[in-house]
Amino acid sequence: MDTAQILINLLLFVFLPLWGIAGFIDWCCHRATDIEHTSGLKESLMHSVMGIQVGIPILMCLLYRVNVLVLLICFAAWLLHEVVAHWDVSYATGKRHISIWEMHAHSYLATLPLYMLALIAVVNWPVVVDLVTLNWQGQMQLTPMEYPHGGSWFLPAYLTFMAVLCVFPYLEENIRCLRSSLKGL
């Protein structure tokens, strides 16, 4: 197995699941602090936005060949995720208790996307060089992967894993916060 494949396996089988697990722990912390009655729907929606901001580049890298367009989207999404993450914590501080467990979950949720982006850049170094040197010709379209990373079973398994650990819990959080805010009207 070559170095690039080892790094891809690290992304697929370590970093991606860790990101989902950290997201689930974060959701558990929100639930424990009664988010629907403290910081409410606004913060809950920020969490969903951050999940989408990281989820889209992950899906793009799993479905399409990494080229300049995909890297630009990944970098832009990461930057926007950082902005919303800062906004989220500054908004929640003082409105509800942020436990040590939640702080640790936030550490993973903030660093894993950066580590994943760095590994994607290393594995696709010629594309990074093209990005930096503005050699973008022929690299601004989405080209589907011929052979999916992790095999044909990985993407359905990962999407199921993320739906159970993150999508459904955060959807439940949004609904819980929405109901609470509607009761307050």
Side-chain angles (χ1 to χ4, degrees):
M1 188 178 308
D2 66 347
T3 304
Q5 190 57 53
I6 291 170
L7 295 177
I8 290 169
N9 287 345
L10 180 65
L11 276 164
L12 296 177
F13 302 110
V14 177
F15 288 177
L16 287 179
L18 277 176
W19 184 63
I21 292 166
F24 181 74
I25 292 168
D26 195 42
W27 172 81
C28 291
C29 293
H30 302 159
R31 190 162 180 81
T33 60
D34 198 29
I35 191 173
E36 66 269 26
H37 296 109
T38 54
S39 53
L41 184 61
K42 184 174 181 177
E43 185 188 4
S44 182
L45 290 174
M46 283 187 246
H47 300 149
S48 297
V49 166
M50 287 186 287
I52 292 166
Q53 288 171 323
V54 175
I56 288 173
I58 287 171
L59 281 175
M60 291 188 75
C61 289
L62 290 172
L63 294 172
Y64 301 104
R65 295 184 64 216
V66 175
N67 60 16
V68 169
L69 175 63
V70 171
L71 271 185
L72 285 171
I73 292 169
C74 289
F75 283 123
W78 175 74
L79 285 172
L80 288 172
H81 177 268
E82 290 302 302
V83 168
V84 175
H86 179 78
W87 181 30
D88 169 47
V89 173
S90 64
Y91 177 78
T93 302
K95 289 183 177 40
R96 65 178 181 83
H97 175 69
I98 300 175
S99 71
I100 191 71
W101 286 102
E102 187 170 355
M103 286 185 221
H104 280 293
H106 287 179
S107 293
Y108 284 95
L109 290 169
T111 56
L112 283 169
L114 176 61
Y115 296 158
M116 289 188 281
L117 183 57
L119 284 177
I120 290 165
V122 168
V123 169
N124 297 282
W125 190 250
V127 178
V128 173
V129 172
D130 287 342
L131 173 67
V132 172
T133 60
L134 303 178
N135 182 20
W136 299 8
Q137 187 174 8
Q139 295 199 54
M140 297 303 286
Q141 73 285 339
L142 295 176
T143 306
M145 295 282 292
E146 293 175 30
Y147 304 101
H149 292 301
S152 59
W153 65 271
F154 181 80
L155 186 59
Y158 181 69
L159 291 177
T160 301
F161 172 81
M162 289 304 291
V164 170
L165 246 58
C166 293
V167 175
F168 296 147
Y170 280 94
L171 181 60
E172 182 273 339
E173 179 180 288
N174 286 328
I175 292 169
R176 191 166 20 99
C177 290
L178 179 61
R179 283 182 181 155
S180 180
S181 69
L182 291 175
K183 285 180 185 176
L185 295 177

